[in-house]
Amino acid sequence: MSALVRVAALGALTLATACGGSNAVIRADKANYPVSMSKGLRGEDGKLLRASQKQSVGTFALDYTSWSAVWTLVPIVNARRDISPELNAQVEKVGGDAIVGLNVKSTHCLWNYFTIVGVLPDCAHVAIRGDIVKVAASSVPAP
Amino acid sequence: MSKQSLPLLLLAASLAGCSAGATTVFRGNYPVMLGPKDRVRATTPLPTTKLGDYVGGAYKSENFDGQVATNENLSSLEVEAERLVWSYPDRDLRVERIEPEAWSTLFNAATTAQVMVYGQAVQMGGK
């Protein structure tokens, strides 16, 4: 292989890397339980609950990958997702009343290194975590 | 450096890459509610008055030379939330949608991840 061909091949391979990404939209419009992204949660009477009234009974976890193409212009998979089914199922499974401390993490996929300057589909990992809590029946207002 | 080695170096640097990740963190005891339920074991929502739209987010960008730009501690978000909510026990944030995103620049010179949070600040029970 001549030097010129090698240079051209490596140059083309380099150009093929990266320059892409993916985005997603998360909603929970059909959640049957309260979901708080902080530790704050209101009891049945509308007053803030004390930390001692919230007993952790499990961890909510949901991981998925969103895919899009042409620099996020074309959504492919998981571009919009209502996470209510997973929320409802996991809280019900452990007998919880709510989720607190829900957080969302967005990270890259290894595949994004090889998207031919964003032309091929790109992806992003989404990791959602939270604490499933059970709340004492009688709520006492926080100070 | 020879002409032949330049693309190879670029390729190696590109594939070495980096992988930024951003995470939402809301500290404190003011409720930041996602979804229709605003309290435990209640079927109907409490009356609220909208105070204003809310946008915040976590952001992190990482270059392959090791430089990192971030607001992953959500300082701007916390300041905004504090201004709207923290001092008022009857004020909450209602999250309408969360938008996680990740992308990289040409040759993976930098990768960026962010999670934007869109919603409203509300006052419980009206003004």
Side-chain angles (χ1 to χ4, degrees), chain A residues 3 14 17-26 28 34-38 40 42-44 48 97 103-106 108 113 135, chain B residues 4 14 18 21-24 29-30 32-36 39-41 89 92 98-105 108 111-112:
Chain A
T14 304
T17 61
C19 196
S22 185
N23 61 2
V25 176
I26 298 170
V35 178
S36 178
M37 297 184 73
S38 68
R42 293 187 182 277
E44 191 171 359
L48 286 174
D97 293 313
N103 65 77
V104 178
K105 183 174 187 178
S106 177
H108 281 266
Y113 290 139
V135 174
Chain B
Q4 290 87 345
S14 175
C18 46
T23 309
T24 58
N29 199 39
Y30 51 88
V32 182
M33 307 306 292
L34 172 69
R39 57 203 160 116
V40 173
R41 298 190 196 99
D92 295 6
I98 307 165
E99 296 190 3
E101 188 169 312
W103 69 89
S104 58
T105 59
N108 284 310
T111 59
T112 300

Side-chain angles (χ1 to χ4, degrees), chain B residues 12 57 60 70 100 118 124-125:
Chain B
K60 188 173 185 181
T70 181
Y118 297 87
M124 308 300 293

Side-chain angles (χ1 to χ4, degrees), chain A residues 24-28 62-65 78-83 86:
Chain A
V25 176
I26 298 170
R27 301 180 67 102
L62 175 61
D63 297 88
Y64 64 88
T65 302
N78 284 324
R80 301 181 67 86
R81 184 154 175 171
D82 188 327
I83 62 172
E86 290 84 1

Side-chain angles (χ1 to χ4, degrees), chain A residues 22-80:
Chain A
S22 185
N23 61 2
V25 176
I26 298 170
R27 301 180 67 102
D29 295 339
K30 295 176 182 172
N32 294 331
Y33 303 92
V35 178
S36 178
M37 297 184 73
S38 68
K39 296 294 182 189
L41 186 65
R42 293 187 182 277
E44 191 171 359
D45 56 6
K47 295 191 169 88
L48 286 174
L49 295 167
R50 294 175 187 273
S52 60
Q53 293 176 271
K54 295 171 279 188
Q55 179 194 357
S56 179
V57 293
T59 300
F60 172 78
L62 175 61
D63 297 88
Y64 64 88
T65 302
S66 67
W67 288 85
S68 59
V70 196
W71 308 285
T72 75
L73 294 175
V74 180
I76 299 175
V77 176
N78 284 324
R80 301 181 67 86

